[in-house]
Amino acid sequence: MKKYIPFIKKPPLVAVIRLSGMIATGARGQLNDAALAPVIERAFRKGKPQAVALVINSPGGSPVQSSLITARIRRLADEKELPVYAFVEDVAASGGYWLATAADEIYADESSILGSIGVISAGFGLTRLIEKIGVERRVYTAGKSKSMLDPFRPEDPDDIKRLKTLQDDIHDAFKQQVTTRRAAKLPTNEDLFTGDIWLGRAAIEKGLADGIGHVVPVMKQKYGDEVQFRAHGPRRSILGRFGLRLGTDAIAAIEERAEFARFGL
């Protein structure tokens, strides 16, 4: 009834955005800017929240999508002058930690995994396989770098050098994001950008998190026991509501499972 009576003070509202899964475009990832844009917009604008809480459980993925999602959250936080808090569940690693840096404060469980501030590129070399089965690979390009890192050809040192240059540039952007957002909280005499990972309390000691805590008790501590929560997430398709998965969804689920498995999850 309180919402229908204007002179009765409403309890504080915290908008909760769940960021769970692999970060990638299209069906390959649960998290990307195109899918999350309306979710994030609603969270910051609907119901006049006093804060936004990000509940993160992501092993990472696309650096571009990580950057776009994080930038959108920061733009709206600055526009609405709202504090943002991140709560890490199982993991906020690589791009997942990039998302966490959108928050003003980061909280984790004792056993949460944080970090992996690095860049990885993996693939397969199938040269010997096609030779063994008698297949001849035919590729025609205009531009000497067009077939860079072709898995059906022997590795080219120039291709590896170009890839490393790209990785270093992405890594620099990641490091810049972390150092800008975490600022004085990071130690000055330690390299945290090796791709290493830490559990909750160790991450706090390294300046990558601010405390041990979960979303409900921490928000109640900050905004009182009467605080209300409004969850925001992407709307599922008709097939998704009935638990049906198409072929592309199944492949995406396998890829996501593999990413979580890298952290023993």
Side-chain angles (χ1 to χ4, degrees), residues 92-95 97-98 101 114-119 171 173-176 178-179 182 186 191-198 208:
S94 194
Y97 185 74
W98 196 320
T101 64
L114 294 86
S116 190
I117 304 170
V119 181
H171 196 198
F174 196 172
K175 290 189 288 186
Q176 180 65 33
V178 175
T179 53
R182 299 300 296 172
L186 300 177
D191 184 5
L192 302 177
F193 307 126
T194 63
D196 204 352
I197 56 176
W198 296 271
L208 298 177

Side-chain angles (χ1 to χ4, degrees), residues 12-17 43-44 48-54 73-87 100-107 181 215 218-219 222-223:
L13 174 67
V14 173
V16 180
I17 306 173
F44 276 91
K48 297 182 179 180
Q50 287 194 262
V52 173
L54 311 175
I73 293 170
R74 287 312 317 161
R75 282 197 305 272
L76 286 165
D78 293 339
E79 176 189 327
K80 296 296 184 180
E81 298 182 344
L82 289 177
V84 178
Y85 304 94
F87 295 88
T101 64
D104 301 297
E105 295 178 11
I106 300 173
Y107 293 86
R181 292 295 302 157
V215 60
V218 171
M219 292 294 92
K222 290 181 178 293
Y223 296 99

Side-chain angles (χ1 to χ4, degrees), residues 26-45:
R28 289 185 58 248
Q30 298 292 324
L31 306 178
N32 57 72
D33 186 58
L36 288 172
V39 176
I40 296 170
E41 294 282 342
R42 284 198 305 271
F44 276 91
R45 301 184 191 282

